[in-house]
Amino acid sequence: MLIETHDLRKTYGPTVAVERLTLSVGAGEVFGFLGPNGAGKTTTVKMLLGLAAPTAGQARILGRPPGDPAIMGRVGFLPEQFRFPPWITAADFLDIHGRLCGMAAAERRTRTAALLARVGLADRANSRLGEFSKGMLQRIGLAQALLNRPALVFLDEPTSGLDPLGRHEVRDLIRELRGDGVTVFLNSHFLSEVEVTCDRVAIVKRGRVVRLGALDELTRHATEIELRVAGLTPEAATGLAQWGRVVRDQESGIRGPEAGGRGQETGATEVVRIVMAVAGEDVAPALAAYLTGAGAQIYALAPRRLSLEELFMRVMQEET
Amino acid sequence: MRSVFEIARLTFLEARMRKMLWAIVLLGIAFLALYAIGFHLIYTDIRAHMVGGAARLLEPVNFFVLAGLYAINFLVVMLAVLTSVDTIAGEIASGAIQTIATKPLRRGAIVVGKWLGLALMLAVFTVAMCAALMLIVKLEADYTVRNPIQAIGLIVLEGLIVLTLSILGGTRLSTLTNGVVVFMLYGLAFIAGWIEQIGSMLRSEAAVNIGIAVSLLMPSEAMWKRAAYLLQPPFLRELGLDATPFGAASAPSEAMVVYAVLYTALALWIAIKEFSRRDL
């Protein structure tokens, strides 16, 4: 494992930034660390890089304690709040970081040219960073993070400040890194970029990991079934709880055939729309049998996996 | 050590790219030119009207040498604070330090590298300015300053004390607070130096002790006092012609110089420790 943490904890006075974080990230994996602002994502990255000392717990990256100079030459990092010296040119900036990584002059020249081309800044090699737009600074930051051919890269909000095209390029870059066997720890609150790039995801909320697993695994257990039924008695509606949790329950605005000649007057044939959160789509046949057995008429029964965004929103709305 | 030199190089590069080096060089030349013109005019006038022996002529020359070196000494202290007050505190506040601190180097190398880069620039400035001033005096008045190497060394040491304290403060304090603290400490040492000098002349043991106690807290001004004492010709003191606002009636001992060196080394060591254990 390239990253391993055990009960990692960080507090600032009475405020808990990270609570008992235990996770492991393997070689070549793209790991998404998702959470709203203030969830403890950046603090976690700082602890993994040795920039912040944990209050409790242990962490190891590349088999060594975070920040150990013996391994930091194989680690790349793009901070969330990347501040650049405005007086330096793009090429000199990369050259200085290459020197700090202990790279030889010839290698620095080769890598600088290759990375400037890779992030679309080849024609701005001799421009001062003070003249760069926010998106261009983010690109040079990415180049800096990849300069030393790292085995493990921490990207903290890498698409922040980028336009849609830039975001797309970053996603391609992350895929390339995965193809090269580089492990990527991606901190982000852009769910779409996590969804298309990450192998596994941890969702953090108020310093705690509340979901952890492969994307498919997380969403498999986050399925909704949309029902449109008529003739649902109150008892049958109560009985739905055995299959899952009713998320929404509303009139559909559609009317079914009248029953017993009373129909519209009693509302007995009103088609209701019910959305249920269930453990998986395999409950659908049993649920259909239950409703039929209870005398309800099924107009629709549609299982649907949640997108990562919907899962994220649901998790954020849950009480902890 | 490679990391230390790379950080020192980066510090030097920053000073050059931000045009700080040019500003210092050009204004330093302006200072020396002004001093040379002023000294020439005043020395010519004094020599034309001087009545008495050679010793009487040495008194104003000594005064102007001490005045010039005192001004340089003050510039060195100002430069030491202004160049270093933001170098660590500012980079911590902006987050710029994060990409440096995650490179394969020890955090101590960042502190020592920045200190080394600034210390070398400060030392070169001090030596160049002091030597140029002494050369002006030599060419104009054929006056050879006494103990030039020791005196310049002490002025450099004073700058290093202030520089190191500023870097130490930057590991814990914000830029503004750090600047205020270092300047106030320098101010305390400055006034304590005067209390000690006047106390020495008036034979007030309590005043001298206060001055020494503050010098132990902040030994910067004591270095100037010793430099000034060494610069003065002994016979001016014997004739009672050494009283200038810039000179020293009594000199801090060699032990104080050793103390100042150890003080600086300790301050740098604490800065390394503080920076190494703080969150960035």
Side-chain angles (χ1 to χ4, degrees), chain A residues 248-287:
Chain A
R248 284 188 296 280
D249 178 357
Q250 62 191 66
E251 290 186 2
S252 68
I254 302 169
R255 297 205 172 277
E258 292 186 2
R262 293 188 301 164
Q264 193 166 349
E265 290 76 17
T266 62
T269 58
E270 182 75 27
V271 178
V272 293
R273 178 174 175 270
I274 297 171
V275 178
M276 295 185 65
V278 296
E281 60 190 7
D282 50 354
V283 305
L287 182 59

Side-chain angles (χ1 to χ4, degrees), chain B residues 33-208:
Chain B
L34 184 66
Y35 183 85
I37 293 166
F39 185 72
H40 170 74
L41 294 173
I42 293 167
Y43 182 73
T44 306
D45 190 54
I46 288 173
R47 198 170 50 179
H49 298 93
M50 178 60 70
V51 179
R56 296 301 306 182
L57 195 58
L58 283 180
E59 186 191 355
V61 172
N62 176 57
F63 178 90
F64 277 106
V65 168
L66 287 179
L69 289 175
Y70 186 79
I72 291 173
N73 174 69
F74 186 71
L75 285 177
V76 167
V77 169
M78 293 297 111
L79 274 179
V81 178
L82 295 175
T83 54
S84 62
V85 71
D86 190 50
T87 189
I88 288 180
E91 289 191 11
I92 292 172
S94 72
I97 201 81
Q98 290 180 9
T99 48
I100 305 287
T102 48
K103 294 291 181 285
L105 47 85
R106 300 207 175 276
R107 281 204 199 172
I110 298 174
V111 176
V112 177
K114 283 180 177 289
W115 182 88
L116 186 65
L118 292 171
L120 283 173
M121 284 188 274
L122 196 68
V124 168
F125 172 79
T126 310
V127 171
M129 290 292 284
C130 291
L133 186 140
M134 290 174 185
L135 184 65
I136 289 167
V137 175
K138 175 70 178 172
L139 293 174
E140 180 66 36
D142 195 26
Y143 177 80
T144 304
V145 175
R146 293 187 71 252
N147 303 309
I149 293 172
Q150 294 95 316
I152 293 174
L154 287 165
I155 297 172
V156 170
L157 180 56
E158 177 172 6
L160 294 184
I161 292 167
V162 176
L163 170 73
T164 312
L165 275 185
S166 176
I167 283 183
L168 169 59
T171 63
R172 275 290 154 191
L173 305 172
S174 69
T175 298
L176 192 60
T177 310
N178 187 26
V180 168
V181 168
V182 177
F183 272 125
M184 289 304 288
L185 278 173
Y186 175 72
L188 280 179
F190 180 82
I191 201 67
W194 279 97
I195 291 170
E196 186 182 348
Q197 290 297 312
I198 295 167
S200 174
M201 283 192 283
L202 299 176
R203 299 183 198 288
S204 168
E205 197 176 334
V208 170

Side-chain angles (χ1 to χ4, degrees), chain A residues 10 12 46 49-53 67 69 72-73 75 77 79 81-83 87-88 92 95-97 99-102 128 144, chain B residues 2-3 6-7 9-10 13-14 17-19 93-107 277-280:
Chain A
K10 181 69 178 177
Y12 295 100
K46 284 185 173 183
L49 287 162
L51 291 172
M72 294 310 283
V75 175
F77 174 43
Q81 294 180 329
F82 198 12
R83 296 290 181 271
W87 42 267
I88 202 167
D92 283 347
D95 185 68
I96 283 169
H97 281 270
R99 282 172 180 272
L100 293 173
C101 289
R128 293 196 177 197
Q144 170 274 146
Chain B
R2 178 189 57 78
S3 309
E6 289 298 348
I7 298 289
R9 183 180 167 280
L10 179 60
L13 186 68
E14 182 174 0
M17 297 296 284
R18 295 180 120 170
K19 300 183 173 61
S94 72
I97 201 81
Q98 290 180 9
T99 48
I100 305 287
T102 48
K103 294 291 181 285
L105 47 85
R106 300 207 175 276
R107 281 204 199 172
R277 70 175 177 216
R278 68 158 293 164
D279 287 352
L280 297 176

